[in-house]
Amino acid sequence: MSVRERIISAFFPKTCPICERVLSGQNRICRECGKKLTWICEPKCQKCGKALPDTGLLYCRDCTAYAHYFNRGAAVFTYQGSIRKSLQRFKYQNTREYADFYGFAAAHRYHDVLKNWKIEAIIPVPLHKTKERRRGYNQAQAFAKALSRYTGIPVLEKLLVRIKKTVPQKESDHEMRFQNLKDAFTVRTKHIGNLKTVLLVDDIYTTGSTVDACSRTLKKAGIANVYVLCISAGQNTP
C-alpha cells in the first residue's frame, strides 16, 4: 500500500459493503458476510442469467414471454436480503466505494465467460444528466470502472448517452416500460470505431427493459453483439 493509500485509509477506512463494519487489511468484505452472499448459480435462465427455482426450466418467465435485443446476460447475485440493502446504499447513499467489491466479484465469477464472449469494451447504462448531477455519480459507471480494473477490458463511458428523462418503472407493465424507454438513448458513433462485441453493465436486472432499450440502440448503430452483466438480478416468478 502506498503512502497516499495509507493516509486515505486512515481517514476513510474501507467498510464491508454488506454489514458496514470497518474492514481490516486488504479485505473487500468481512468473512461472516462472505458466507451469506446469494450468488446466482445453476439453474439459471439461459437468456438473461436470472436464477431459476426449477432445474427443468430453461428460461425465466420474462424471457419466455418477450424477445430480448441483447445476446445473453448474466448477474452475480440474487437481488434479495443483504445484497438488496447493500445495492440500495450503493445507488442512493453515495457508497460508491462498494463498486470495488462488486467489480472484483463479477470478474472472479465471470472471467471465463467474458473471454468466451470476446468482449471488446464495457458500456455502462447511462443516467440522464439531471439525475446524475442530483445523485453525484452513475452507479453503473462506477461498477464498469471497477470491473475494468479486474479484467483489463476498457470502459467506453461516452459511447451510449441517455437523452430522455424517464419515470421510475417499478409498477409499470411491459408495454409501459417500452414506451417509457422509447428513444431514451443514443449512440455517439464517433466512439464506435471497429467495435463488434460489447458488455453492457448495470446494477440491477429486473425485466430487462432498460438493457433491451440500450441494446437495441447499440445494435442499430452497428454493434453486432451486446452482452449484459449486472451486479444482481431479481428472482424469477412463476
Side-chain angles (χ1 to χ4, degrees), residues 127-138 165:
L127 289 177
H128 190 270
K129 59 184 179 182
T130 56
K131 182 177 283 188
E132 187 167 349
R133 276 200 302 266
R134 186 168 65 248
R135 189 173 293 173
Y137 67 107
N138 176 0
K165 291 179 71 174

Side-chain angles (χ1 to χ4, degrees), residues 148-159:
S148 176
R149 286 198 300 272
Y150 292 111
T151 61
I153 303 170
V155 179
L156 293 181
E157 302 172 35
K158 298 179 180 180
L159 188 146

Side-chain angles (χ1 to χ4, degrees), residues 38-102:
T38 52
W39 300 94
I40 290 182
C41 302
E42 295 290 352
K44 55 188 176 183
C45 178
Q46 297 302 297
K47 183 66 176 181
C48 73
K50 190 182 294 184
L52 295 174
D54 188 338
T55 55
L57 297 174
L58 290 178
Y59 302 101
C60 69
R61 185 186 66 173
D62 291 321
C63 292
T64 300
Y66 307 109
H68 291 297
Y69 286 95
F70 59 87
N71 293 50
R72 195 164 180 182
V76 187
F77 305 107
T78 300
Y79 188 58
Q80 64 180 22
S82 58
I83 283 291
R84 180 174 184 153
K85 293 176 182 177
S86 173
L87 280 167
Q88 287 172 345
R89 293 196 300 274
F90 177 56
K91 194 168 185 173
Y92 300 115
Q93 297 180 23
N94 198 19
T95 57
R96 67 186 82 184
E97 66 273 13
Y98 289 6
D100 182 68
F101 166 68
Y102 300 140

Side-chain angles (χ1 to χ4, degrees), residues 129-196:
K129 59 184 179 182
T130 56
K131 182 177 283 188
E132 187 167 349
R133 276 200 302 266
R134 186 168 65 248
R135 189 173 293 173
Y137 67 107
N138 176 0
Q139 73 280 356
Q141 187 179 91
F143 171 52
K145 288 180 177 179
L147 181 62
S148 176
R149 286 198 300 272
Y150 292 111
T151 61
I153 303 170
V155 179
L156 293 181
E157 302 172 35
K158 298 179 180 180
L159 188 146
L160 186 65
V161 182
R162 190 185 292 247
I163 54 175
K164 174 184 169 184
K165 291 179 71 174
T166 53
V167 298
Q169 302 189 123
K170 289 181 181 178
E171 306 303 323
S172 303
D173 61 21
H174 180 77
E175 181 58 28
M176 291 171 65
R177 287 171 182 255
F178 175 80
Q179 291 301 328
N180 185 34
L181 289 161
K182 188 177 180 181
D183 302 320
F185 303 95
T186 189
V187 169
R188 290 174 174 158
T189 52
K190 67 179 182 180
H191 295 286
I192 291 181
N194 296 318
L195 271 181
K196 293 299 179 187

